[in-house]
Amino acid sequence: MTKTKPQELDLLAVGETLVDLISDDEAESLAEAELFRKVQGGSPANLAVNFARLGGRSAIVSKVGRDGFGKFLESRLRAAGVCTDYLQYDPSARTSLVLVARSKGTPEFEALRDADFRLKAEEILPEALIRTRIVHTSAFALSLEPCRAAVLHACRVGRATGKIVSLDPNYSPLIWPDREEARRVLSEVLALCEITKPSLDDAARLWGGGQTPEDYIRRFHDLGPQRVVLTMGAEGTLISDGRALTHIPLRPIEVVDITGAGDAFWAGFLIAMLDGLSLEHCGLFAREIVERKLQTVGPLAGSLDRHAIYSALEK
């Protein structure tokens, strides 16, 4: 791989880079889906791509197979402007795949994992952590060893060196059947985090249903993060700094594909936060970005002028 000249990074995403195979037509289940479209996927990788499309400097620390899918992913990341200096190829593993039934709601999916969870702590170069302002990861990446140890290492070093540590607690029992283990590991990471973005579905799967959004937010705050952003689908988003709650309502739009919507929202929120916007304006900007994603199959296409969007929001 061609190395880029080291420079400051805004965001280092640590975790899964994989291929999403998304059904061409809407389907309630994979059993109903027939044809699939190949797109770059993986929550940290999606966030890095969206971040780069907004003009941010992002890099990915991840592992793929030395196969056609791995080469496809590197080319897509580089084309989006993501630094791939720390993307690892494993000749003994196959690139991980996720089959997704395209849906307007939470989609059914099946993960075929191999290379993504084989990332090791010693493969995360100190230079990568020194360069960045944000270290970001996901529950998916924490669900299996040795990647879990690699992610924990990155978060600990990030916290110790004054970086913003960010977690998408995208917990799913399909990926991580042992919920008690998931709670323990995620609690350890959340203690290192400044900010986290659970969805209402994530929170219910992790902590059990029947609780209010405010209850879930309080649970996350109690584990360490100063800022909690709870996305609630059609009910919009709640943003908490531990003192006050801000509600960002969802606007009616035609949804084409929900896969990766959380990653688009989070990329928008984090880059606006780095730009010094208030939490409310971060949420409003993130809503603008996720609306564009919801109307696109696969990741966001093309670059977006975030400063033009900031100006429009001010008006």
Side-chain angles (χ1 to χ4, degrees), residues 25-290:
D25 298 319
E26 284 189 19
E28 292 299 319
S29 69
L30 287 171
E32 298 175 9
E34 294 186 1
L35 299 176
F36 293 82
R37 175 181 172 187
K38 177 182 69 176
V39 299
Q40 170 263 310
S43 177
N46 284 343
L47 191 143
V49 165
N50 294 327
F51 202 92
R53 294 201 186 284
L54 290 166
R57 295 163 296 185
S58 62
I60 183 77
V61 180
S62 192
K63 182 167 279 193
V64 297
R66 192 173 291 281
D67 52 28
F69 283 140
K71 293 176 182 177
F72 161 78
L73 290 171
E74 183 186 10
S75 69
R76 287 294 187 271
L77 291 166
R78 290 178 64 83
V82 176
C83 170
T84 58
D85 289 359
Y86 312 112
L87 183 68
Q88 305 286 327
Y89 277 108
D90 188 334
S92 65
R94 295 175 178 171
T95 299
S96 299
L97 308 175
V98 175
L99 288 82
V100 183
R102 183 159 66 86
S103 170
K104 290 185 174 70
T106 301
E108 182 182 61
F109 70 91
E110 182 173 342
L112 307 175
R113 300 181 68 181
D114 193 359
D116 80 275
F117 69 83
R118 300 182 187 275
L119 181 70
K120 299 176 182 178
E122 59 266 29
E123 293 171 322
I124 302 178
L125 300 181
E127 170 199 293
L129 297 165
I130 291 169
R131 291 173 63 184
T132 192
R133 300 170 69 189
I134 297 176
V135 176
H136 173 81
T137 192
S138 71
F140 189 107
L142 287 157
S143 62
L144 290 174
E145 293 284 13
C147 190
R148 178 185 303 163
V151 170
L152 283 166
H153 167 71
C155 292
R156 289 179 185 130
V157 173
R159 176 63 181 260
T161 55
K163 312 299 182 182
I164 296 169
V165 180
S166 162
L167 171 69
D168 183 350
N170 53 344
Y171 172 72
S172 168
L174 294 175
I175 298 298
W176 204 340
D178 188 339
R179 187 168 72 165
E180 289 308 310
E181 179 187 72
R183 285 174 170 174
R184 176 180 58 79
V185 174
L186 291 175
S187 294
E188 185 175 354
V189 177
L190 286 163
L192 302 169
C193 287
E194 179 175 328
I195 189 164
T196 188
K197 187 210 70 64
S199 71
L200 196 57
D201 286 344
D202 296 333
R205 285 191 291 260
L206 190 58
W207 306 116
Q211 302 178 54
T212 67
E214 292 80 6
D215 289 335
Y216 290 127
I217 287 172
R218 194 175 304 112
R219 275 184 173 270
F220 282 100
H221 274 310
D222 288 346
L223 290 170
Q226 300 169 21
R227 300 171 182 178
V228 178
V229 182
L230 182 71
T231 54
M232 305 181 294
E235 300 303 314
T237 300
L238 279 176
I239 303 169
S240 172
D241 63 0
R243 299 182 299 274
L245 282 175
T246 300
H247 179 240
I248 306 294
L250 189 71
R251 295 181 295 200
I253 59 168
E254 182 178 354
V255 176
V256 173
D257 177 25
I258 197 171
T259 306
D263 306 321
F265 182 97
W266 205 219
F269 195 99
L270 289 176
I271 202 166
M273 189 179 75
L274 287 184
D275 284 339
L277 273 66
S278 69
L279 290 182
E280 180 179 8
H281 279 82
C282 289
L284 291 171
F285 178 74
R287 182 179 68 180
E288 294 284 336
I289 305 308
V290 77

